Amino acid sequence: QHMTSDVGLIGLAVMGQNLALNMESRGNTVSVFNRTTSKTMDFVERHPGNNLKACSTLEEFVDSIKSPRRIMLMVQAGRAVDAVVGQLVPLLDEGDTIMDGGNTYYEDTEKRAASLVDSGIHYMGVGVSGGELGARFGPSLMPGGP
């Protein structure tokens, strides 16, 4: 299962689940990870036959995504984002991109992006609007960055 997914998504609350299903419905294989492994497994089991890959560790998650990796974070703004980014970055390579979809304050996004410049890892804020149905069928995505 090494490097076969087109994109990865971390954070399987309602918005993350629906965004993963949206990306999958458009022909992408999507690796998914949630810090609560049972939530990851339950989500994938509820959608049999879909091109969703449940990952129980961040290492497995990162290894499952084609390079350069595109990873969407759908975790709560603030400390949760810092925690996930801190665990994720050592596993990534130059040219990989982290997209923060958690409505993070833009100055926090700018600080995170700046801290990763030397590593060659791209970091951008990508606000997701439209609620549960929007995330599933057509979200408003608002990418930003330097």
Side-chain angles (χ1 to χ4, degrees):
Q1 289 196 7
H2 185 68
M3 294 175 66
T4 56
S5 290
D6 301 299
V7 64
L9 186 137
I10 297 174
L12 292 172
V14 171
M15 291 291 285
Q17 289 183 26
N18 282 300
L19 199 56
L21 291 170
N22 182 321
M23 292 187 289
E24 189 278 339
S25 74
R26 280 145 179 77
N28 295 291
T29 299
V30 183
S31 288
V32 293
F33 174 83
N34 197 80
R35 69 180 176 190
T36 307
T37 304
S38 61
K39 191 164 200 165
T40 305
M41 300 309 167
D42 291 347
F43 170 64
V44 172
E45 287 170 10
R46 283 196 321 273
H47 302 282
N50 289 31
N51 287 317
L52 299 169
K53 289 183 184 266
C55 300
S56 57
T57 68
L58 278 177
E59 292 81 4
E60 177 188 5
F61 173 80
V62 169
D63 285 345
S64 72
I65 305 167
K66 294 175 190 170
S67 189
R69 297 174 188 91
R70 297 173 290 176
I71 297 172
M72 187 77 175
L73 301 185
M74 293 299 292
V75 299
Q76 186 175 2
R79 288 191 203 123
V81 173
D82 286 328
V84 172
V85 170
Q87 294 169 348
L88 192 57
V89 166
L91 305 173
L92 299 180
D93 298 316
E94 183 176 347
D96 291 347
T97 300
I98 299 171
M99 298 164 282
D100 179 3
N103 295 320
T104 293
Y105 182 58
Y106 77 97
E107 288 185 355
D108 291 342
T109 299
E110 289 174 350
K111 288 175 192 169
R112 290 182 186 118
S115 75
L116 294 173
V117 167
D118 290 342
S119 70
I121 296 169
H122 308 291
Y123 190 94
M124 55 191 299
V126 181
V128 179
S129 185
E132 183 177 340
L133 286 175
R136 176 64 183 91
F137 298 108
S140 174
L141 298 176
M142 297 157 282

